[in-house]
Amino acid sequence: MRATLADPAWLAPHDEAALRWALSLARLSAVDVTSAEGSADVVDVDTAINQYRGRLYGLLEGVVDGERVLSRDGVRAQIPAVRALCAQERKSLLELFGSRMPARALDRCTRRRPLALALGGGGGTGYVYVGAMAVLDEAGLSPSLIAGTSMGAIIAAFRCKQQSFSLGDIRQLLARLSWRKVFRLFETESRFGLPATLKLYLREVIGHEFEREGRFLRLCDLEIPLRVTLAGISQGERPMESYAHLLDEAVDNPRALRWRAASIARALNEITRQPVRPIYAGGDELTREFDVLDAIGFSSAVPGIIHYDILRDDPRMVELVTELVRREGVARLVDGGLADNLPAREAWRAVQAGACGARDPFVLALDAFAPQLTTRHLLFLPLMRIAAETSKAGRQAAHLTITYRHVLSPLTVVPTTTEFLRAVENGRKETEPEVALIRKMVGPIPDPPGILSELA
């Protein structure tokens, strides 16, 4: 696909369509089928396609040299055989599964694949994702599912509220926020979260954005399925209350965080020495009932720095979270970045489990928190190193990862309008070069002559 984007004449259109169709058929594992009566079925084609995959690989392995460069002449020479192999495999699958899998269902899944997004955490760095969301929306690339961690979960929650995307809503909201509204000194008890210096007032400042008909939205209410990464930690040797006042001087002066870099690093080191368990809210019957705000709140609770908890009178949520920590065998819930900062593997797994009515997604991971040795980010190197480690599996699972270089400071969680617009513009600039590739990978693929119809 990169070769055809670099040179549109690299392959004739009907040859390109045939090759794309053949490769797309090879990556299918399951086909969702809806009957005329509305009943749903899932046809597992994974094993049935294995022999075809081997034959297709045999045809194409010779067209790539040791430097992973495609030979145009080699590809063109194999197109007739690829076309014939694909046409025969399609015919064989339809015969094998008969009425369980009509041609229209198989062709629909081959023609187009769902787009699954994974948004990493990283505080203020994550505002570049807003620009990415805008670019994808303008290109007609609506995500079928999003998995997010920490700030990535917050941005994802705004995107998942409805199928359409509105940059203006987020901009207007941020214009009304301030550091003092979002964070206050921790002066209360702790039930499910780890005590920290700053208490996150998420419900109070953005709750109205997630309220419908007199109640707060739950994860199951979102128009686009969302998975929120939480980290469950066990009780360590150090009393949990000792984290409550680690950074008290930062309440009125967020820049004072820089003076306590060593304290933050020690606290994180202590916490990560304990078993850390990834938990993905929204993926099971219990957590689908979580309030969106509580899920993203726990996901954003940076140990020693930000505390989030359910201390209001809400028996339903208290019961749900109590059952979750009991089921998972953890003591407290904290920032999901400690367990999985780039949840691309969960995004793929959620789609495969049937979360969006289609399978075999193209997984796009957006990472704004990769280690950068700049002066303003030195404070966050301990967190960045942890995030880089917990992002490895996500990078391996993603089909494409965009690593953003021009981002706001992680401290800029409440940006000015100028800062926010700069982040959005940076997100646009760094996402746009990949949009054409994403569109080709997602499809739809033009119907190829010689596979779905006679070749003139």
Side-chain angles (χ1 to χ4, degrees):
M1 292 306 94
R2 289 194 184 278
T4 59
L5 287 169
D7 179 6
W10 201 79
L11 283 178
H14 59 279
D15 286 344
E16 180 188 326
L19 182 57
R20 290 174 67 187
W21 197 276
L23 291 167
S24 184
L25 182 63
R27 56 92 187 164
L28 284 184
S29 67
V31 174
D32 286 81
V33 179
T34 302
S35 69
E37 294 76 26
S39 59
D41 188 14
V42 179
V43 180
D44 185 345
V45 298
D46 200 12
T47 302
I49 290 178
N50 267 340
Q51 192 174 37
Y52 165 73
R53 293 185 183 116
R55 290 175 177 171
L56 182 63
Y57 183 85
L59 290 174
L60 296 176
E61 63 177 332
V63 304
V64 184
D65 66 19
E67 301 298 321
R68 297 185 63 82
V69 175
L70 284 173
S71 163
R72 179 185 180 185
D73 290 341
V75 171
R76 293 175 70 182
Q78 294 291 6
I79 289 291
V82 167
R83 181 182 283 110
L85 176 65
C86 184
Q88 180 56 48
E89 178 65 13
R90 177 177 178 271
K91 179 181 178 182
S92 297
L93 288 171
L94 294 176
E95 291 174 351
L96 176 64
F97 292 102
S99 60
R100 277 196 67 201
M101 188 177 69
R104 65 178 182 278
L106 176 61
D107 293 342
R108 183 187 67 248
C109 294
T110 309
R111 185 179 291 114
R112 187 166 201 148
R113 65 197 301 187
L115 173 63
L117 300 184
L119 307 188
T125 67
Y127 284 110
V128 294
Y129 302 149
V130 180
M133 296 297 106
V135 167
L136 293 174
D137 187 69
E138 291 162 7
L141 294 165
S142 180
S144 299
L145 178 141
I146 307 180
T149 297
S150 196
M151 179 60 84
I154 294 176
I155 301 299
F158 274 94
R159 179 63 187 90
C160 290
K161 285 195 303 178
Q162 54 192 28
Q163 289 290 339
S164 59
F165 176 72
S166 174
L167 176 61
D169 290 348
I170 301 177
R171 180 178 176 180
Q172 290 175 13
L173 174 66
L174 289 172
R176 299 194 297 268
L177 298 185
S178 68
W179 179 270
R180 288 177 178 271
K181 288 181 180 178
V182 178
F183 299 107
R184 300 176 201 169
L185 184 65
F186 177 83
E187 293 177 339
T188 184
E189 72 273 20
S190 178
R191 178 186 282 159
F192 302 113
L194 184 70
T197 295
L198 302 174
K199 187 176 188 304
L200 176 60
Y201 281 79
L202 201 62
R203 186 173 293 265
E204 289 79 359
V205 295
I206 66 171
H208 60 283
E209 294 288 334
F210 294 90
E211 196 171 1
R212 296 287 186 278
E213 299 176 355
R215 70 173 181 87
F216 290 105
L217 289 177
R218 302 171 188 179
L219 289 173
C220 59
D221 296 324
L222 297 171
E223 293 189 13
I224 297 174
L226 173 64
R227 299 292 182 267
V228 177
T229 311
L230 314 176
I233 60 171
S234 304
Q235 176 70 57
E237 297 178 2
R238 179 173 177 173
M240 291 194 174
E241 290 70 23
S242 64
Y243 296 101
H245 302 289
L246 190 64
L247 302 165
D248 280 2
E249 63 267 38
V251 175
D252 295 318
N253 178 17
R255 299 188 184 281
L257 285 169
R258 301 181 189 279
W259 310 334
R260 301 300 301 276
S263 298
I264 295 172
R266 282 195 300 271
L268 289 171
N269 187 48
E270 291 171 3
I271 292 168
T272 53
R273 282 205 303 265
Q274 307 300 322
V276 178
R277 185 178 182 83
I279 302 169
Y280 302 100
D284 61 272
E285 186 175 348
L286 176 69
T287 60
R288 275 196 293 269
E289 294 298 318
F290 273 36
D291 282 6
V292 174
L293 292 163
D294 291 322
I296 63 178
F298 282 120
S299 184
S300 305
V302 183
I305 302 176
I306 299 172
H307 170 264
Y308 185 84
D309 221 320
I310 302 172
L311 301 175
R312 63 188 185 274
D313 182 18
D314 190 341
R316 186 188 70 85
M317 271 307 301
V318 168
E319 182 180 349
L320 288 172
V321 180
T322 299
E323 173 59 21
L324 177 68
V325 297
R326 184 205 63 77
R327 185 185 76 183
E328 300 294 331
V330 298
R332 301 295 171 102
L333 301 175
V334 295
D335 190 327
L338 295 184
D340 186 358
N341 199 60
L342 195 64
R345 185 169 52 180
E346 175 60 21
W348 181 87
R349 202 159 41 205
V351 174
Q352 290 300 91
C356 63
R359 318 283 164 147
D360 304 297
F362 179 78
V363 181
L364 171 63
L366 308 182
D367 187 1
F369 202 51
Q372 299 181 46
L373 295 176
T374 61
T375 302
R376 64 178 180 165
H377 291 162
L378 285 177
L379 165 67
F380 289 90
L381 276 179
L383 271 174
M384 285 180 167
R385 285 170 179 150
I386 293 171
E389 187 64 29
T390 66
S391 296
K392 286 181 179 179
R395 285 178 170 270
Q396 292 171 355
H399 297 99
L400 174 66
T401 300
I402 301 177
T403 302
Y404 294 91
R405 299 299 177 188
H406 299 92
V407 296
L408 301 181
S409 165
L411 282 175
T412 314
V413 291
V414 186
T416 65
T417 299
T418 300
E419 289 171 331
F420 173 70
L421 293 178
R422 184 170 74 245
V424 171
E425 184 58 25
N426 289 339
R428 281 180 170 276
K429 287 180 178 178
E430 296 191 51
T431 306
E432 281 174 344
E434 300 290 1
V435 166
L437 175 66
I438 297 167
R439 186 186 288 113
K440 283 223 176 193
M441 297 304 297
V442 171
I445 303 170
D447 289 356
I451 297 176
L452 299 191
S453 60
E454 293 297 321
L455 181 63

